[in-house]
Amino acid sequence: LFMINSIASYWLVMTSVTTTHHHPDLYHAGDIPRADPDWGLHQVDTVRDVEKPWLPLVLTTFGDHLLHHLFPAVDHSKLPALYPVLHATLQEFNVTYPWRNLADMVHGLNTQIGKCEPT
């Protein structure tokens, strides 16, 4: 039971918290921020969503991450209803938000951890 709990905890932290916030393409304290100090753009710059092509990944990772950061008080079950507005707003302001696969995010996490200087 201890081993199952340890593996499950590691998986949750690794896929839902750590990899979605730490990638070289994301803004980190000390990096040069974008010129526009808009709070919403800052959220776009600091977090990524992970593609979920198979059910175990859907069931064991945190989804709708950008929407969660933009609307932290909205019940998580309601966040998917906001995607049409999110996509329209990103398109209106010509902002890209690339989704990443889990392997890319884990690789990026390790790359970010190895950085010695901000970008």
Side-chain angles (χ1 to χ4, degrees):
L1 185 60
F2 173 77
M3 193 62 153
I4 292 171
N5 187 23
S6 297
I7 291 169
S9 297
Y10 173 80
W11 176 258
L12 181 65
V13 169
M14 191 64 160
T15 60
S16 300
V17 179
T18 309
T19 59
T20 55
H21 290 106
H22 300 288
H23 190 281
D25 294 343
L26 300 178
Y27 174 83
H28 294 85
D31 290 348
I32 299 170
R34 77 167 66 213
D36 186 343
D38 181 79
W39 179 84
L41 291 175
H42 182 71
Q43 299 307 308
V44 170
D45 292 342
T46 58
V47 70
R48 283 293 175 267
D49 280 282
V50 175
E51 296 170 346
K52 297 177 173 122
W54 51 290
L55 187 59
L57 196 56
V58 172
L59 296 174
T60 60
T61 61
F62 183 76
D64 310 316
H65 209 164
L66 176 59
L67 288 172
H68 161 72
H69 277 254
L70 292 171
F71 305 100
V74 174
D75 185 288
H76 193 77
S77 68
K78 308 300 182 202
L79 290 176
L82 297 174
Y83 274 112
V85 175
L86 173 66
H87 293 305
T89 304
L90 290 172
Q91 185 174 11
E92 178 183 348
F93 291 96
N94 198 29
V95 175
T96 58
Y97 180 74
W99 287 58
R100 304 284 185 173
N101 63 49
L102 184 59
D104 178 53
M105 292 304 290
V106 170
H107 175 73
L109 165 68
N110 289 301
T111 303
Q112 181 66 29
I113 288 172
K115 284 176 60 176
C116 295
E117 298 290 328
T119 54

